[in-house]
Amino acid sequence: QSPEQRLVGVFTRDFRENELTCQILVCVPQCLQILLMSSENVAWAERVETIILDEVHSIGDTNGEIWEHIILLSKCPLIMLSATLGDVNRFKGWLEKVEKAKDRRLVTVTHGERWNDLKSWVFNPRAQGGAAITSMHSCGVIDAEADPSIPATLKLLPEECVSLFRSMYPLLSASEAAKLAPNAFFERHAERPGDAIFWDLSMRDVSAWEASLKESFAKLPREDRARILVDVSQSTVSALEGSDSIIDESQGINLPGVHRLVSEMRDREMMPAICFHMSQRGCNKLARYVSHKLQQEEKEHRNASGWAEKVRTLMARLETLRAGAAKGLVGAKEDVEDSREQMMEDIDQLEKKIEALLGADRDFTLFQGTDVLTEDEIDNALGPYAPEGYEWLRKAMLRGVAAHHAGMNKKWRMAIEDLFRRKKLVLVFATATLSMGINMPCKTSVFVGDAVYINSMSYRQMAGRAGRRGFDLRGNVIFFGMRSTKIKRLVKSHLPVLQGNQLLSSSTVLRLIMMYVKSTKWRAGAVGGRDLAKEVLWAISRCVNMPLFQPSHLTPEHTAHTFRFCFEHLCRERLLIPSHEEEQQDEDKEEGSLVVSDLAAFISHLHYTQPANFAFLSLLQSGVLSDMCKADVSDEQKELDVLLVLCHLFNRLPLASHLESLVAANKRVGPSLVMLPPLDPGVREGIESANQKVLKAFVDYQRCFASAYAEDLGVDDLLPFSRVRCGAQHPSSAALPALSCMAQRVSIRSCFVALSGHGDEGFGSVEELCGSLRRGLHVDPSMLPVFVIAKEPLNAFLYDFYKHGQLPAIVRYNGIKQEGLWELLRDFELIIRAISAAMRFRLDNGCDWRGFPDRDVGG
């Protein structure tokens, strides 16, 4: 092992260390994809021996194509983990096909049970007996009238199985009832000390009884099943109806109800807990409110208990002791030293007692046991200063309460995670930032309010945080302020089937080809005795021919056709140059090989911004940006003109309608423009011209594909929504031949759309093309390097910040939430750095700026 090698490396968006010289690399999928697809790291990628992918179900989420690229491109074995995959048959079949192509076999290990059960609760302010946190029976989410059946995925707790058995018992046959009776079913686990019967049961034993109960329940008549479900779920239905009473969309979250919820959770020992709320500002508001109420209760208690008088008495006594120590003592030397030591000890104990009285009263915090957070610990964790707007967080943390979301300082988020794991915090209000990928188990997960982002997948991720292995026999899930209909849908929902993603785009194709071109420069056998170029070529073939998303039987052929379009488009844009077209061809370069242009750096560095990266390059090549830089205006104005173009291309945010109306009425005051000025007509014309070229070429490719595979595509005679087949098999009307002569002849446009007079020509936009293609052709807009200029007004937050640099003004006048502002500015900074790196690459390599109108652009 060389001195340069390290054991562990890290690579994330914000931090990287030893990523290419370590034995174990910890990174996020996006960064691993960058390493695997980087033309400079081809040899490094071949040395990777094992990849562990946690939360692999994310392949079905936004940016899921990143996970697919890793699976398809990697040559080494992969270990994939997930707790929320659901029905994996299709996903498993795809993985088996991919592994077979790599000369390996797929091994699956399935565990269908949690280490502990989850108990569902609902907050019902109308509950009898004072306790608003009401137990839910799992069968209470089933619509007994519509479908009186218990889904296989709906887990029943042991006590729920008992209640179900009791309701089923009178309706079962004698033999069936005897078989399902607990004393018979668990006979081999029974212990009989005296007259009592005890069963030593595991979760697996109870699960077997649950499965038998469900099987017998399914055999009962429909009417009996409906009657049983109504009987066991009466209290749950009532609780769900009562839970809707605290929902008022016009008022937002019911804050007094949240305080009551937290108080009950503390009294019933349901903490530590994570309260999930999908608004960053809402998380802050909830944490501040709970902390404020605890402080208020403490203040009322102190006023009633004579706390102020106790503090004054102790302070007076302390002053007396300090005054006595200052005067000095008279007597023998040894006696004086003993007296002084005793006096200082008394002063020290009195100071600690006063400090404890002035600090947070333990009875008015959420801490349990001996774990208490001190101010010194907070200072060590967070540092001496609080970001603007978060001064309240320190006081809240002394009560055991905190907030956690992406809008917070990263150091603070990590500190809160660490303190929560150490039981120094017991209640955290968080967005989805804590739902996966972070080790923060708790005893209770709470859903505070509702949001469109909470679906079956995110629900299971958030609820799964509850129940700490080795600490809790059971985890708790509480619903607060969520519609009962949504609660029922979430609890009984199935996990979505993984559908896959669109893997190919012009940027992706360029990066794949850059990998291959780089690999051809390695001598065969130089890396572990393997032919590196051949292995890279096979990896690219898997990406093209084995996508998870295959909507039709012609998907592999259509994907290959799309790959060819992207490749030839890159050649037309001079990003890839056949070697025979090189002006100065190297003697050792093979005939027919490819040369990657220096221009490719602009696309590959900004691959995640497609199609904006291609629009930027077209403006660079056409000389539009060069003309701006040579205009007869001040340097400051040149910078603003270029910045305006970048703001229209990258990190665009639509202007909120209320801000648009204020700007139009000239009612907005302050240093910000708020509304982004329109693009220069020359810039707009350049972008639209490039778009039309790409669109026309792609339509021609689709027409060629439809012609070549006309027989496989068949007749396009299905209506798009109803899927009803139209058209007569044996036309008999004499008018049909005449009408047929008037019909539009289409090959790629949907026949249904063609009824409106649209043919295969005249596609005005990518959206029109993708939305009106015939059955059998599937095109995703993200595949094409076509940049759509915003029709609606855009927020000028980047442009305004560059001009005046005032964050409060951006928050106040531009309407950008403070929690996410730094992230937006950071994103744009990374784009500028990527452009700068591409420019520097060309300059450092002594390029001749071929492809640009003149050399001045490089300067």
Side-chain angles (χ1 to χ4, degrees):
Q1 183 177 358
S2 64
E4 293 79 15
Q5 288 184 319
R6 298 291 185 270
L7 178 61
V8 180
V10 178
F11 188 13
T12 67
R13 182 187 179 190
D14 303 310
F15 179 77
R16 59 193 299 175
E17 183 179 51
N18 305 325
E19 69 272 14
L20 298 178
T21 58
C22 63
Q23 292 179 302
I24 301 173
L25 175 62
V26 181
C27 64
V28 294
Q30 290 85 344
C31 294
L32 178 58
Q33 184 210 32
I34 290 174
L35 293 178
L36 291 177
M37 297 186 69
S38 171
S39 59
E40 299 300 319
N41 298 324
V42 173
W44 173 89
E46 288 297 318
R47 293 198 301 270
V48 177
E49 295 184 3
T50 306
I51 296 176
I52 301 176
L53 294 175
D54 195 12
E55 311 286 2
V56 75
H57 57 266
S58 299
I59 199 171
D61 295 342
T62 305
N63 297 325
E65 69 276 2
I66 293 172
W67 299 77
E68 281 195 60
H69 284 147
I70 294 173
I71 294 172
L72 291 169
L73 290 174
S74 59
K75 178 67 177 177
C76 64
L78 295 102
I79 300 174
M80 290 171 275
L81 310 172
S82 175
T84 50
L85 270 179
D87 183 7
V88 299
N89 290 330
R90 183 169 179 270
F91 184 56
K92 180 182 175 182
W94 174 70
L95 287 176
E96 287 176 340
K97 182 180 177 182
V98 172
E99 290 300 288
K100 185 177 180 181
K102 300 178 182 179
D103 295 326
R104 290 198 301 265
R105 67 183 184 92
L106 178 70
V107 178
T108 57
V109 179
T110 304
H111 187 79
E113 300 172 347
R114 284 176 51 93
W115 287 100
N116 47 30
D117 290 326
L118 287 180
K119 172 66 177 173
S120 296
W121 308 78
V122 63
F123 185 84
N124 175 20
R126 298 177 180 176
Q128 301 296 325
I133 300 179
T134 308
S135 172
M136 284 179 57
H137 193 293
S138 297
C139 291
V141 301
I142 301 173
D143 189 341
E145 294 184 5
D147 183 15
S149 60
I150 303 177
T153 56
L154 187 65
K155 174 68 177 177
L156 300 182
L157 300 177
E159 62 269 29
E160 295 172 346
C161 290
V162 172
S163 65
L164 180 64
F165 172 73
R166 288 174 176 170
S167 295
M168 289 171 55
Y169 186 81
L171 303 173
L172 296 173
S173 64
S175 60
E176 192 78 8
K179 183 180 71 173
L180 291 176
N183 56 349
F185 195 92
F186 300 120
E187 175 63 28
R188 62 190 179 91
H189 302 286
E191 297 179 6
R192 292 180 171 83
D195 296 332
I197 300 178
F198 296 96
W199 293 296
D200 182 15
L201 304 178
S202 66
M203 289 180 60
R204 189 163 296 174
D205 297 327
V206 179
S207 295
W209 187 43
E210 175 195 357
S212 298
L213 285 173
K214 289 181 177 179
E215 182 179 352
S216 298
F217 177 83
K219 297 176 182 178
L220 294 173
R222 179 186 177 91
E223 296 76 12
D224 291 344
R225 286 186 278 128
R227 193 179 308 117
I228 291 170
L229 291 176
V230 170
D231 180 52
V232 299
S233 59
Q234 286 181 354
S235 60
T236 299
V237 172
S238 175
L240 288 171
E241 291 174 352
S243 69
D244 289 337
S245 63
I246 63 170
I247 300 175
D248 185 353
E249 280 82 358
S250 62
Q251 299 297 324
I253 294 295
N254 187 310
L255 293 177
V258 172
H259 175 59
R260 182 180 174 185
L261 168 72
V262 172
S263 299
E264 279 197 33
M265 289 169 60
R266 175 184 57 187
D267 296 340
R268 298 171 70 164
E269 297 184 353
M270 287 183 160
M271 295 185 181
I274 300 176
C275 294
F276 290 103
H277 183 71
M278 295 300 104
S279 164
Q280 296 180 0
R281 186 176 297 179
C283 288
N284 292 342
K285 184 177 181 180
L286 289 167
R288 292 183 69 172
Y289 180 81
V290 171
S291 172
H292 171 72
K293 291 297 292 184
L294 291 170
Q295 295 176 53
Q296 192 177 46
E297 291 174 353
E298 179 187 67
K299 183 178 180 180
E300 293 173 356
H301 170 75
R302 286 176 171 178
N303 290 338
S305 62
W307 171 85
E309 183 62 31
K310 292 179 183 178
V311 173
R312 281 195 295 269
T313 301
L314 291 175
M315 290 294 291
R317 184 180 173 188
L318 179 62
E319 290 299 322
T320 301
L321 287 174
R322 286 174 173 171
K327 289 181 180 178
L329 299 173
V330 180
K333 184 177 181 180
E334 294 182 359
D335 295 338
V336 169
E337 291 296 331
D338 291 342
S339 299
R340 183 181 298 280
E341 183 176 344
Q342 181 62 43
M343 185 175 292
M344 297 306 297
E345 184 177 341
D346 292 342
I347 291 175
D348 183 58
Q349 291 180 354
L350 198 55
E351 286 177 342
K352 291 180 179 179
K353 192 171 184 179
I354 294 173
E355 183 181 0
L357 274 176
L358 294 175
D361 191 327
R362 177 63 177 270
D363 294 334
F364 298 95
T365 68
L366 302 181
F367 293 112
Q368 299 169 340
T370 58
D371 299 301
V372 179
L373 190 61
T374 64
E375 292 192 17
D376 290 339
E377 288 176 310
I378 295 177
D379 288 338
N380 292 334
L382 304 183
Y385 304 106
E388 185 178 353
Y390 284 92
E391 296 82 1
W392 56 271
L393 186 56
R394 291 177 179 274
K395 295 180 179 179
M397 292 173 70
L398 288 172
R399 310 281 168 176
V401 185
H404 187 289
H405 51 76
M408 296 180 66
N409 179 286
K410 183 181 178 182
K411 179 182 177 181
W412 281 46
R413 293 202 310 268
M414 295 177 64
I416 289 170
E417 294 162 16
D418 178 64
L419 292 171
F420 189 86
R421 284 190 290 267
R422 291 162 47 199
K423 302 180 184 179
K424 295 293 186 176
L425 292 173
V426 293
L427 181 65
V428 175
F429 291 92
T431 56
T433 52
L434 292 184
S435 64
M436 57 184 281
I438 297 177
N439 180 29
M440 277 188 62
C442 58
K443 189 172 186 178
T444 303
S445 291
V446 187
F447 291 87
V448 181
D450 193 8
V452 295
Y453 310 106
I454 303 178
N455 53 32
S456 59
M457 179 69 77
S458 59
Y459 160 70
R460 280 170 171 77
Q461 287 288 338
M462 297 176 190
R465 288 294 173 190
R468 298 164 296 173
R469 183 178 178 183
F471 290 92
D472 305 317
L473 294 177
R474 178 176 291 179
N476 302 297
V477 179
I478 303 176
F479 297 96
F480 176 93
M482 183 183 289
R483 291 286 179 191
S484 58
T485 53
K486 179 72 173 284
I487 295 174
K488 294 177 181 178
R489 188 164 66 249
L490 290 176
V491 174
K492 66 180 180 181
S493 63
H494 296 274
L495 286 167
V497 178
L498 300 180
Q499 298 293 340
N501 307 271
Q502 174 57 51
L503 296 186
L504 290 187
S505 67
S506 296
S507 296
T508 301
V509 171
L510 175 62
R511 297 168 73 198
L512 292 173
I513 293 176
M514 289 172 68
M515 284 173 53
Y516 173 70
V517 171
K518 184 69 174 181
S519 68
T520 59
K521 297 180 181 180
W522 286 80
R523 179 174 50 84
V527 181
R530 303 196 303 269
D531 188 341
L532 193 57
K534 185 177 180 180
E535 293 190 2
V536 171
L537 200 58
W538 275 109
I540 295 174
S541 176
R542 292 193 295 269
C543 271
V544 175
N545 299 316
M546 296 183 179
L548 174 58
F549 178 68
Q550 297 199 21
S552 77
H553 65 286
L554 286 177
T555 297
E557 290 81 3
H558 192 248
T559 304
H561 207 74
T562 303
F563 183 91
R564 179 176 177 178
F565 161 78
C566 294
F567 172 77
E568 295 188 1
H569 171 71
L570 295 171
C571 290
R572 286 193 296 270
E573 295 298 316
R574 308 297 294 169
L575 297 171
L576 298 175
I577 306 172
S579 59
H580 67 271
E581 297 182 17
E582 278 283 87
E583 295 179 4
Q584 296 179 349
Q585 184 173 336
D586 296 339
E587 294 181 0
D588 59 345
K589 192 175 293 297
E590 297 179 7
E591 185 67 25
S593 60
L594 283 172
V595 176
V596 179
S597 166
D598 293 316
L599 300 175
F602 293 97
I603 302 301
S604 60
H605 281 53
L606 295 169
H607 65 91
Y608 58 93
T609 68
Q610 182 174 326
N613 55 349
F614 278 91
F616 174 78
L617 183 59
S618 69
L619 295 176
L620 206 57
Q621 288 180 288
S622 64
V624 172
L625 295 180
S626 176
D627 293 340
M628 287 185 177
C629 295
K630 292 188 294 185
D632 188 18
V633 294
S634 64
D635 290 343
E636 181 181 359
Q637 186 59 46
K638 291 178 184 177
E639 292 177 0
L640 290 175
D641 291 342
V642 173
L643 178 64
L644 178 61
V645 174
L646 297 179
C647 291
H648 273 278
L649 296 180
F650 305 104
N651 287 40
R652 301 184 298 179
L653 282 183
L655 189 66
S657 56
H658 70 282
L659 293 176
E660 183 182 352
S661 59
L662 289 174
V663 172
N666 293 322
K667 294 182 178 179
R668 207 66 174 169
V669 295
S672 293
L673 287 176
V674 181
M675 182 185 294
L676 193 65
L679 271 175
D680 181 81
V683 176
R684 178 181 293 271
E685 182 180 347
I687 294 175
E688 291 177 346
S689 175
N691 288 347
Q692 287 303 314
K693 290 180 181 178
V694 174
L695 196 58
K696 184 179 183 302
F698 188 73
V699 169
D700 290 339
Y701 272 82
Q702 295 302 303
R703 191 181 293 111
C704 291
F705 178 83
S707 175
Y709 291 91
E711 185 176 344
D712 297 288
L713 288 170
V715 180
D716 185 23
D717 57 357
L718 285 181
L719 295 178
F721 295 108
S722 64
R723 314 303 294 173
V724 173
R725 193 173 298 279
C726 58
Q729 294 183 355
H730 304 289
S732 57
S733 173
L736 286 179
L739 292 174
S740 179
C741 295
M742 301 170 57
Q744 284 280 358
R745 303 299 177 186
V746 292
S747 59
I748 63 172
R749 181 94 75 167
S750 165
C751 290
F752 181 77
V753 177
L755 291 174
S756 301
H758 297 283
D760 284 346
E761 303 293 340
F763 289 97
S765 64
V766 176
E767 288 75 14
E768 181 186 347
L769 172 66
C770 298
S772 61
L773 286 175
R774 60 152 295 156
R775 182 171 56 91
L777 298 181
H778 299 272
V779 176
D780 191 287
S782 63
M783 294 166 51
L784 303 180
V786 175
F787 181 80
V788 180
I789 299 174
K791 297 178 181 178
E792 303 298 327
L794 297 176
N795 198 313
F797 72 101
L798 291 169
Y799 192 78
D800 289 333
F801 182 75
Y802 182 83
K803 291 179 66 177
H804 57 64
Q806 302 176 29
L807 285 176
I810 300 297
V811 173
R812 180 179 179 183
Y813 299 112
N814 294 74
I816 306 296
K817 293 182 179 180
Q818 181 175 345
E819 294 86 354
L821 179 54
W822 276 117
E823 197 70 21
L824 292 171
L825 295 176
R826 171 68 170 161
D827 289 343
F828 193 71
E829 179 198 7
L830 292 176
I831 290 173
I832 298 299
R833 288 181 180 273
I835 295 174
S836 175
M839 287 284 192
R840 196 179 303 113
F841 174 79
R842 291 178 58 83
L843 291 173
D844 292 345
N845 284 275
C847 71
D848 58 2
W849 294 97
R850 201 166 47 241
F852 289 114
D854 52 52
R855 292 180 58 88
D856 291 342
V857 181

